[in-house]
Amino acid sequence: MFTFTKVKLAVFGIGRQCVAGRALNGARAACRGFASSSPDDESSTCENELYDIVISGGGMVGTAMACSLGLGAWDHVVNMRCKPYNKMQVWDACSDALITFDKENLQDEMAYIVENDVILASLTKQLQTLSDHVEVQYRTKVVKYTWPRPYHVAESIPWVQVTLANGKTLHTKLLIGADGPNSMVRRESGIPTVQWNYDQSAVVAVLHLSEPTENNVAWQRFLPTGPIAMLPLSDTESSLVWSTSQQHAEELLLLDEESFVDAINSAFWSNENHSELVETAGSLFRTALSVLMPDSGSARQLPPSVSGIGPKSRVMFPLGMGHATEYIRHRVALIGDAAHRVHPLAGQGANLGFGDVACLTQVLSQAAFNGKDLGAMQHLLEYETERQRHNLPMMAAIDLMKRLYSTNAAPMVLLRTLGLQATNALPPLKEQIMAYASK
Amino acid sequence: MTAPFHNRLPRLNLRTVSQTTLDPAEVRKFQAMASKWWDLQGEFAALHSMNDLRVPFIRDNLLNVHGVQQLGKPLAELRILDVGCGGGLLSEPLGRLGADVLGIDPVEDSVRTAEMHSSYDPNLRERVCYQACTLEELAEEEAEGFHAVIASEVVEHLADLDAFASCCRQVLKPGGSLFITTINKTNLSYTLGIVAAEQLLRIVPSGTHDWEKFISPEDLERLLESSGFYVEAIRGMMYNPLTGVWSWQKSTAINYALHAIKRKEEPQPEQTWAESENLDKPGQAPSYS
């Protein structure tokens, strides 16, 4: 495997952001426009400031990209805070249907929950060890991007020019846009986006549990207003992600701590949304399933109750879906939320971004080993094809789930109740789902 | 480490020339050439995509012979001569892999295009130089100067292959590598290489190739063996015009790539190929594994 040496990266970022939501976009850099002048000026600027790769955006995904082009950050994460979980229970507020995911015997870890801050801190620490090859510029904004012509024309600069607010110009062979859902790189390069708002916001907070517990289960309940999820962080703390209507989210933020805690507990525990029709149909179906497949049922467990929240940890951010129709242009690649934005209900947003990082790193390593120009379309197209093939089905599934669970109209509830119960009864199908989400 | 090329050989200093002595008509012509050589969808698209085969072929064979020089720069410390470099399509990737490359081409326009294209990247500026001259002219000054010589898509354009092989031998260090890619002389290569490629599909500009000048791998091997090389590997290549992608194949009936190494002792034409331990039967080289 080809390792990059002397790859100069410049990563722009502001400090890290919120706890359990997606990290918000990093900084943008600004540059005065570069005017072509006499060859001496040109060559001296180029000499000092021609980077192999510039990453715009210092959130989790951008920093991960910088590290992976330099190598290795998981060790730092394990030394900070991360929590493996063995089991996941997801259920409906409008019926008794539930689905659980776990590996056999609850022995192996299914997945890890890691706070964004922790990921970011580890990656930053790793970046410091790579300071020969990776330069990080904090608190810098981009004012302008100038794109190169598609093929070489004499006397024009063939690189991407990044104009920073502090007056510096950077030239790079490849610009990676990791600057979040409102990506300036994507906008400025003219890549069209398919997007819509969900009229929802997610409220996130750190929850203190009433009593310490093994806390190795992730919980998510679909309320008519949106899913509420509790994800383990340690034996005494969990992370809350509550997606709900814009108005409700604002109300939740304004509640005092005690009322907020009550609201959370009630959301997980109350049964006020059940309808008789659906309950009857559901229990009939469950009986039928247990006759056909005796070992397939799951016992319903109740999530731990919450007693308090972490100080100043309550924030909200708007939700929407977005997909860039292209991930790449000549000398440009988009990764993370800049390329695709999803609802947090499946906890996959950042993971899709990390998948982009892994794929792009591999593609760039191979290209470098073949002596290629890093910004060339040929290998960037391979990255785009592979990631779109993986991301689009995931995004469609998440959007579908969101819509399916956004109503308490009886027919939809019945459909999803029976569907969820059926899926729960099919371990091979559940294994496939887990495998896909872990890719 | 010996002095870089531009101190040892007369060469055009493009920057000075392009700024002071060129007239606008010349500059326009360069611009036209530039867009031809380096337009990835243009006339030379097939040559660009051939890099996917020839760069790894050269890189891996040189790594086999010389070992890994430097992590991240597989060809560091190696001096390579790219004969018939054109616009520098092959010289640049080799330069990026760390080699010191000299590209030569008798067509001055091509050399200027190549220089201009590589001038914007400081890494390439250090590593890759160009010279408008022929191999014969160079051979007089550069005895045993190179670790490797590459003649890619060149020998099918030459009149005197024996002289060419002898010049290659002259400029190579003992044990140095010669890499050739060219077209076989078969009915198939006529149908596909000339009729289809030039006249029907226009993958290559019409009149580029003369079938009479094609040479089969067996003949080429015999020629090289009698000029003081032993042929280490021959592989068949194929171009898919629909996808624009080259791939390796067993049959050398159309295109092929060859790697030969300069013998360290003097050549003895009459005895060479009969004695060679590489041969099962005359004209057969071991297949590359």
Side-chain angles (χ1 to χ4, degrees), chain B residues 185-192 211:
Chain B
K185 191 175 184 179
T186 59
N187 290 331
L188 195 57
S189 76
Y190 184 75
T191 325
L192 295 181
W211 188 79

Side-chain angles (χ1 to χ4, degrees), chain B residues 135 139 142-146 149 162-174 176 178 224-229 261-267:
Chain B
L135 181 58
E142 274 281 4
E144 302 203 345
F146 297 96
V149 170
D162 287 291
F164 169 77
S166 146
C167 286
C168 286
R169 200 179 164 282
Q170 232 179 310
V171 300
L172 269 175
K173 297 178 190 285
L178 173 63
L224 289 174
E225 297 271 339
S226 66
S227 301
F229 290 92
I261 296 186
K262 170 177 167 175
R263 285 181 190 281
K264 296 186 176 169
E265 67 279 4
E266 282 301 302

Side-chain angles (χ1 to χ4, degrees), chain B residues 46-214:
Chain B
L47 277 182
H48 277 281
S49 113
M50 199 195 276
N51 277 346
D52 290 343
L53 290 190
R54 46 188 186 170
V55 172
F57 184 66
I58 295 167
R59 174 197 73 210
D60 292 342
N61 277 297
L62 287 178
L63 281 175
N64 274 342
V65 171
H66 299 272
V68 179
Q69 298 301 314
Q70 238 184 68
L71 206 56
K73 296 275 176 215
L75 301 182
E77 314 279 321
L78 298 180
R79 298 166 103 200
I80 300 184
L81 175 67
D82 182 7
V83 180
C85 63
L89 271 59
L90 183 51
S91 309
E92 284 198 8
L94 295 175
R96 281 194 200 99
L97 290 179
D100 283 310
V101 183
L102 174 66
I104 63 172
D105 200 283
V107 179
E108 209 169 297
D109 288 343
S110 303
V111 168
R112 290 189 182 198
T113 303
E115 277 180 316
M116 197 157 21
H117 191 267
S118 65
S119 67
Y120 287 99
D121 185 343
N123 284 339
L124 290 181
R125 266 208 307 274
E126 285 167 14
R127 296 245 112 75
V128 183
C129 298
Y130 295 100
Q131 171 118 352
C133 67
T134 63
L135 181 58
E136 289 80 0
E137 288 162 9
L138 189 73
E140 290 156 27
E141 305 185 14
E142 274 281 4
E144 302 203 345
F146 297 96
H147 294 94
V149 170
I150 304 168
S152 176
E153 306 304 296
V154 160
V155 301
E156 66 266 24
H157 299 282
L158 299 178
D160 187 351
L161 277 185
D162 287 291
F164 169 77
S166 146
C167 286
C168 286
R169 200 179 164 282
Q170 232 179 310
V171 300
L172 269 175
K173 297 178 190 285
S177 291
L178 173 63
F179 294 97
I180 293 178
T181 75
T182 187
I183 310 179
N184 199 344
K185 191 175 184 179
T186 59
N187 290 331
L188 195 57
S189 76
Y190 184 75
T191 325
L192 295 181
I194 308 262
V195 175
E198 288 188 17
Q199 289 154 16
L200 295 178
L201 299 173
R202 312 232 173 234
I203 299 165
V204 178
S206 189
T208 302
H209 291 127
D210 173 5
W211 188 79
E212 292 300 325
K213 286 193 166 151
F214 291 173

Side-chain angles (χ1 to χ4, degrees), chain A residues 110-340:
Chain A
M110 214 173 105
Y112 286 82
I113 306 269
V114 189
E115 290 163 85
N116 290 7
D117 270 359
V118 170
I119 293 185
L120 210 40
S122 323
L123 291 172
T124 309
K125 214 165 164 177
Q126 188 63 24
L127 272 186
Q128 282 158 5
T129 67
L130 300 169
S131 54
D132 301 342
H133 313 308
V134 184
E135 192 187 301
V136 186
Q137 305 199 2
Y138 288 105
R139 305 199 177 279
T140 38
K141 272 181 89 61
V142 176
V143 149
K144 187 170 165 222
Y145 292 107
T146 311
W147 309 113
R149 304 272 201 101
Y151 54 81
H152 179 72
V153 174
E155 297 304 318
S156 79
I157 304 209
W159 317 122
V160 176
Q161 297 167 62
V162 182
T163 313
L164 302 175
N166 62 15
K168 268 171 84 174
T169 309
L170 304 181
H171 295 211
T172 180
K173 299 175 186 173
L174 175 64
L175 175 70
I176 296 181
D179 47 351
N182 300 320
S183 164
M184 181 184 176
V185 173
R186 184 185 71 220
R187 198 173 61 242
E188 295 293 310
S189 56
I191 293 177
T193 317
V194 174
Q195 59 188 349
W196 50 80
N197 277 324
Y198 281 135
D199 280 331
Q200 281 189 337
S201 284
V203 175
V204 296
V206 172
L207 306 174
H208 295 288
L209 304 179
S210 309
E211 5 176 278
T213 155
E214 219 184 313
N215 208 11
N216 56 5
V217 182
W219 309 94
Q220 174 153 287
R221 191 179 197 196
F222 283 98
L223 307 172
T225 47
I228 180 170
M230 193 189 306
L231 310 167
L233 289 177
S234 70
D235 287 345
T236 52
E237 286 175 325
S238 286
S239 169
L240 171 78
V241 184
W242 190 347
S243 311
T244 181
S245 71
Q246 184 69 24
Q247 194 188 8
H248 188 214
E250 280 164 13
E251 285 165 14
L252 285 173
L253 273 191
L254 293 172
L255 289 176
D256 60 282
E257 182 171 326
E258 217 181 293
S259 314
F260 184 58
V261 165
D262 284 341
I264 296 172
N265 284 325
S266 146
F268 274 113
W269 292 54
S270 100
N271 280 338
E272 65 193 10
N273 284 307
H274 287 199
S275 86
E276 265 204 46
L277 165 66
V278 173
E279 277 217 33
T280 321
S283 63
L284 273 179
F285 193 61
R286 213 171 26 248
T287 318
L289 276 181
S290 62
V291 166
L292 291 171
M293 308 179 65
D295 295 324
S296 64
S298 304
R300 162 111 81 112
Q301 288 178 268
L302 284 170
S305 71
V306 179
S307 62
I309 57 174
K312 294 202 188 151
S313 70
R314 212 190 322 177
V315 287
M316 69 182 248
F317 57 92
L319 301 181
M321 201 225 66
H323 190 250
T325 55
E326 300 158 53
Y327 288 4
I328 57 155
R329 282 281 161 89
H330 181 54
R331 300 203 184 284
V332 181
L334 299 176
I335 58 176
D337 280 4
H340 42 71

